[in-house]
Amino acid sequence: MRGAKQSGGIVQRSRRWLPVPRLSFKRRLGQLPPSLRLRSWQLLKPLLHAGLRPPSRVSKAMYSRAPTRLLSRLWGLINEVNLPCWLRRPLLSFYVWAFSVNMAEAEEEDLNRYQNLGELFRRSLKPTARTIDSHCVVSPCDGRVLHSGRGRGSQIEQVKGLTYSLESFLGPQDWREPTNLSLPFLQQLGVRSSSRIYHHVIYLAPGDYHRFHSPTDWNVQHRRHFPGALLSVSPHIAHWIPSLFCQNERVVLSGQWQFGFFSLTAVGATNVGSIRIYEDQDLHTNCSRHVKGKYHDYSYTDQYGPEGLTLAKGQPLGEFNFGSTIVLIFEGPLQFKFQIKAGGRIHVGEALGTF
């Protein structure tokens, strides 16, 4: 089942700001001999802000209109260009050094075996590198927690002080049967009055493991693809642009788990034109043509049966190129509490919270 429809939302603004995260260059430069440190710093200082924050004199409107989709497609082509053997180690070693990539965890540690940058971005890990916790919901990816907590009605915090609406982010629930779009949005999702809506946002930096896994045992019933902008989703930009996640290209997977509604959304970003879901060969992201505000539906119940696509906790689910964001929105019991605060590091398989 496929279609194209429009959605809208409400945004609340705040002037609160958090510290700006940096790339790994500055910390890495501190490890160099003093004789090389000053010269290297002068050469690399302009790169500290690359892809993370636009110059202060550039308005939000101008940044939002930047041709990020075109640039991301070009970057994707560059990533897939096979490197000559003599260039692989020096070029990929610089990337590993600059972004603090832990190659000891990689299933293939030899950089000469990676034919291009894309293969390094999408590297697999050793089977023993991650352990899946016994808790019912775990982290789907490696990264830094941008925000987590309870929803406020149908409003979700992007970061502290900036909110967006669930309807704007997920779109109307007209794919459900029976459909009653006149109901409050949480009721359209089937959320019970005895439960609460929770959200958890994880930012994947360029050096992180770029594959994501199923965070729980659940049945995915529906996929919705929103073509859109490909703005940076770094923590600084998330504090700078309201409804950032609603503007960017994203793939929303919706379904059910033991406590009710569950969704995982892979949000695209600058240089992340490709979002891949392993069991969904029909999905094509960052296409050259798209209509702003439109989305495309696909029914997993039509493809896999009444229950949809059944996923086990920890099962490989998909991958990004370069870095991006995963947003979990799910129904849970009243006593659920997240145990990792905003800013904390998290890895695939670690428990998100406790009851």
Side-chain angles (χ1 to χ4, degrees):
M1 179 177 65
R2 299 171 188 166
K5 309 199 176 156
Q6 280 193 307
S7 60
I10 301 173
V11 177
Q12 298 174 356
R13 301 190 179 186
S14 171
R15 296 175 179 244
R16 301 180 67 177
W17 293 71
L18 292 180
V20 179
R22 305 290 183 187
L23 299 182
S24 301
F25 288 128
K26 191 172 183 179
R27 176 166 57 82
R28 288 299 194 189
L29 288 174
Q31 300 171 2
L32 295 175
S35 59
L36 296 176
R37 198 176 302 163
L38 179 59
R39 179 173 294 181
S40 300
W41 169 253
Q42 291 171 341
L43 291 173
L44 295 177
K45 185 176 180 180
L47 298 178
L48 284 175
H49 301 283
L52 288 179
R53 54 185 303 183
S56 58
R57 66 179 180 274
V58 180
S59 69
K60 298 178 185 180
M62 290 179 64
Y63 180 64
S64 298
R65 294 189 181 98
T68 53
R69 294 181 62 84
L70 175 60
L71 294 174
S72 296
R73 283 195 298 276
L74 293 175
W75 178 252
L77 293 175
I78 294 172
N79 284 348
E80 300 305 319
V81 173
N82 288 343
L83 302 171
C85 294
W86 61 268
L87 185 58
R88 291 177 189 176
R89 182 168 292 277
L91 181 61
L92 299 182
S93 293
F94 178 77
Y95 179 87
V96 168
W97 175 81
F99 293 103
S100 301
V101 178
N102 185 359
M103 290 304 294
E105 296 180 336
E107 190 171 33
E108 179 54 72
E109 296 184 43
D110 184 2
L111 293 178
N112 285 323
R113 301 295 295 273
Y114 294 94
Q115 299 184 72
N116 51 56
L117 281 168
E119 288 188 0
L120 180 62
F121 299 153
R122 301 185 300 271
R123 65 193 177 276
S124 58
L125 299 184
K126 296 172 181 174
T128 57
R130 299 289 182 270
T131 301
I132 306 302
D133 194 90
S134 60
H135 193 268
C136 61
V137 59
V138 299
S139 176
C141 60
D142 288 6
R144 188 171 301 279
V145 177
L146 188 58
H147 202 274
S148 61
R150 286 187 179 183
R152 300 178 180 177
S154 61
Q155 293 288 314
I156 295 292
E157 282 194 312
Q158 174 173 295
V159 291
K160 194 170 181 62
L162 287 178
T163 67
Y164 57 91
S165 74
L166 278 177
E167 185 170 5
S168 176
F169 185 67
L170 301 176
Q173 299 300 292
D174 48 3
W175 59 271
R176 297 177 181 273
E177 295 180 3
T179 300
N180 190 343
L181 300 182
S182 64
L183 293 174
F185 193 71
L186 290 184
Q187 291 185 35
Q188 293 182 40
L189 297 178
V191 177
R192 296 160 295 184
S193 59
S194 58
S195 302
R196 292 291 184 271
I197 278 287
Y198 298 90
H199 67 283
H200 189 76
V201 184
I202 306 171
Y203 167 67
L204 291 77
D208 285 324
Y209 171 57
H210 284 68
R211 302 187 181 191
F212 49 94
H213 298 244
S214 174
T216 191
D217 298 323
W218 62 310
N219 293 314
V220 187
Q221 301 167 330
H222 184 264
R223 181 259 291 162
R224 176 166 283 168
H225 170 216
F226 289 85
L230 286 172
L231 305 176
S232 170
V233 291
S234 71
H236 178 82
I237 298 296
H239 283 85
W240 197 64
I241 298 182
S243 292
L244 172 63
F245 300 151
C246 298
Q247 295 184 44
N248 269 16
E249 181 158 13
R250 59 197 183 276
V251 176
V252 181
L253 303 180
S254 299
Q256 295 288 314
W257 74 318
Q258 61 177 308
F259 296 108
F261 171 77
F262 197 98
S263 74
L264 179 150
T265 301
V267 182
T270 306
N271 298 331
V272 190
S274 173
I275 302 172
R276 181 184 173 194
I277 304 297
Y278 296 139
E279 300 297 328
D280 189 344
Q281 302 304 313
D282 191 69
L283 175 64
H284 302 284
T285 59
N286 195 18
C287 298
S288 58
R289 295 183 180 181
H290 79 284
V291 179
K292 184 176 180 180
K294 301 291 184 177
Y295 54 79
H296 308 284
D297 288 337
Y298 191 85
S299 172
Y300 286 175
T301 56
D302 288 349
Q303 181 176 356
Y304 295 101
E307 297 298 321
L309 174 61
T310 299
L311 294 174
K313 182 175 61 177
Q315 180 178 336
L317 178 54
E319 63 187 38
F320 291 111
N321 279 322
F322 204 63
S324 198
T325 295
I326 292 287
V327 179
L328 300 181
I329 299 174
F330 57 92
E331 180 180 359
L334 298 176
Q335 62 270 29
F336 181 83
K337 292 184 179 180
F338 289 103
Q339 60 187 27
I340 299 181
K341 297 182 179 180
R345 288 283 304 173
I346 198 167
H347 299 88
V348 170
E350 293 182 6
L352 291 188
T354 59
F355 294 122

